[in-house]
Amino acid sequence: RVMQSARIKQWLLLLLRMALIAGLAMALAQPVMRGRWGGLARDGKINAVIVLDCSASMQFDENGKTRMELARSAVLNILESLKENSVAIVLTGLRDSEQLSQPTTDLQQLAQRVLALPDPSGRADLGPAIQRAMNILDRSAESGRELYIVCDRQASNWKEINSQAFARRWESRLDHDKTQPTRMFVVPIGSEKSENLAIESVELVNPPAIRE
């Protein structure tokens, strides 16, 4: 009985060690599960569009890093998870780039173009950007469709989206796209707490003012 009990303990220890090794291997492999409840496997082809906020508020510095730097890192992580799939990027704030908005499977080159983007400026309007992203997805033959929105938490970016007119257009589009549903992810950048800045007056110190 003592030998049988010792043998059972040895088998249990062996199984536990095997489970630990298998768990470590899975963690190092970093498998990515997609689709409903992670149902679409990694080998399923996906057409994805990333909407990237490049408005002036993305220059806000948080703990030594601008929000734009954090956004670039988020985009690179998304591209890493979408290897061997088709991806396009739509900019909002900066002038949109045709090179970025053309779907491509060369994600390394796409990542280099994201790193080379100029400093953010202007105002982001996510409504038209999301509509353009959906138009790009509609041109794809892939059944897997994903839309990523990488932006800070500035409410004015979503102003048009909160309108009833946009809501009606969006609902109509979702009804039309039921055969090819799109998974949508919002990736918020930066903290929730940041002071607002308003320019109340402008004083010309050394007149006259000279254009450019």
Side-chain angles (χ1 to χ4, degrees), residues 4-158:
Q4 187 176 13
S5 176
R7 191 175 293 112
I8 292 172
K9 286 182 180 179
Q10 288 176 355
W11 276 107
L12 288 175
L13 283 173
L14 178 61
L15 291 173
L16 180 60
R17 288 168 182 164
M18 291 171 65
L20 286 172
I21 293 172
L24 181 60
M26 289 286 287
L28 291 175
Q30 295 181 334
V32 176
M33 301 300 292
R34 302 189 175 280
R36 191 179 183 188
W37 302 300
L40 183 61
R42 193 178 182 86
D43 57 356
K45 290 299 181 182
I46 294 171
N47 186 39
V49 179
I50 303 171
V51 175
L52 176 57
D53 180 1
C54 296
S55 61
S57 64
M58 297 295 282
Q59 293 196 54
F60 188 82
D61 188 288
E62 295 196 19
N63 301 319
K65 283 192 174 182
T66 65
R67 289 178 179 172
M68 192 62 193
E69 290 178 275
L70 299 174
R72 285 193 183 100
S73 297
V75 171
L76 295 182
N77 287 335
I78 294 170
L79 293 176
E80 178 67 23
S81 71
L82 291 169
K83 282 182 177 178
E84 299 179 2
N85 291 288
S86 177
V87 184
I89 296 178
V90 173
L91 304 179
T92 175
L94 291 175
R95 183 179 178 181
D96 205 356
S97 169
E98 288 296 330
Q99 290 180 326
L100 290 172
S101 60
Q102 294 298 322
T104 179
T105 55
D106 189 352
L107 303 190
Q108 186 173 0
Q109 186 180 35
L110 197 61
Q112 292 299 322
R113 287 174 176 166
V114 169
L115 292 172
L117 285 173
D119 291 336
S121 61
R123 177 181 173 273
D125 195 348
L126 291 175
I130 291 175
Q131 293 283 11
R132 185 173 183 201
M134 292 296 289
N135 290 339
I136 295 172
L137 290 173
D138 286 343
R139 294 196 293 266
S140 169
E142 303 294 350
S143 58
R145 295 154 48 113
E146 294 185 353
L147 173 60
Y148 296 83
I149 303 174
V150 181
C151 62
D152 63 7
R153 304 168 194 266
Q154 187 164 246
S156 61
N157 296 348
W158 300 86

